[in-house]
Amino acid sequence: QVHVVESGGGLVQPGGSLRLSCTASGRIFSVDETGWYRQAPGSERELVAEMDSGGRTYYDNRVKGRFTISRDNAKNTVYLQMNSLKPGDTAVYYCNVKLRIAIETELNYWGQGTQVTVSS
C-alpha cells in the first residue's frame, strides 16, 4: 500500500515564500513523473509544475521564475519552492505522483491537498 502526504501550506504575505513537500511511502519500486497542481475556489484544478524521472521540468507561465520544483529520489519526496508569492497564487495545492509498485505496474496518486493563502 502506498501513502502520499503533503505538508507546508499556510498563510503568507504578498512577496513571501513557502515550500511545499510531498512524500510517497510504502511499497514503491520507482517514482516516475511528479507534479504540483492547484485549485482556486470556483476554478478547475490546473498544472503548476512537473518534473519527470530524468529531471526535466515544466512550469506554467504564471509561476515561471518564481516557483521551483525539485525531488529527493532517496526520500521519494517532491518539493515546490514558491517565492515572490502573489494573491493570485492562493489555492489548494495538490501533488501528483506517478509511481511503480512493480516494473510493469504504474499507478497515479494524489496528495490530500494543502491550502496556500497569500494575503496582507
Side-chain angles (χ1 to χ4, degrees):
Q1 192 170 1
V2 174
H3 298 279
V4 176
V5 178
E6 298 180 36
S7 62
L11 172 65
V12 64
Q13 292 187 343
S17 297
L18 283 173
R19 188 176 82 154
L20 307 182
S21 300
C22 172
T23 299
S25 61
R27 181 189 164 199
I28 299 171
F29 177 78
S30 65
V31 176
D32 295 340
E33 194 171 273
T34 54
W36 288 94
Y37 291 71
R38 67 187 182 188
Q39 187 167 18
S43 300
E44 294 194 354
R45 192 172 297 187
E46 59 187 17
L47 177 64
V48 174
E50 63 183 1
M51 176 181 277
D52 67 15
S53 58
R56 290 177 291 266
T57 58
Y58 162 85
Y59 294 94
D60 182 271
N61 283 335
R62 291 167 292 179
V63 307
K64 198 173 292 185
R66 299 188 297 122
F67 291 11
T68 302
I69 187 171
S70 61
R71 285 168 53 158
D72 183 334
N73 291 326
K75 297 180 180 179
N76 289 331
T77 298
V78 58
Y79 304 97
L80 185 68
Q81 177 67 43
M82 304 184 293
N83 299 329
S84 302
L85 282 160
K86 305 175 181 179
D89 296 318
T90 296
V92 177
Y93 284 70
Y94 298 91
C95 69
N96 179 264
V97 180
K98 294 179 176 63
L99 56 82
R100 296 180 185 273
I101 58 172
I103 194 167
E104 73 280 2
T105 307
E106 184 180 68
L107 300 174
N108 188 50
Y109 289 89
W110 289 93
Q112 80 277 14
T114 186
Q115 177 70 46
V116 172
T117 302
V118 184
S119 175
S120 55

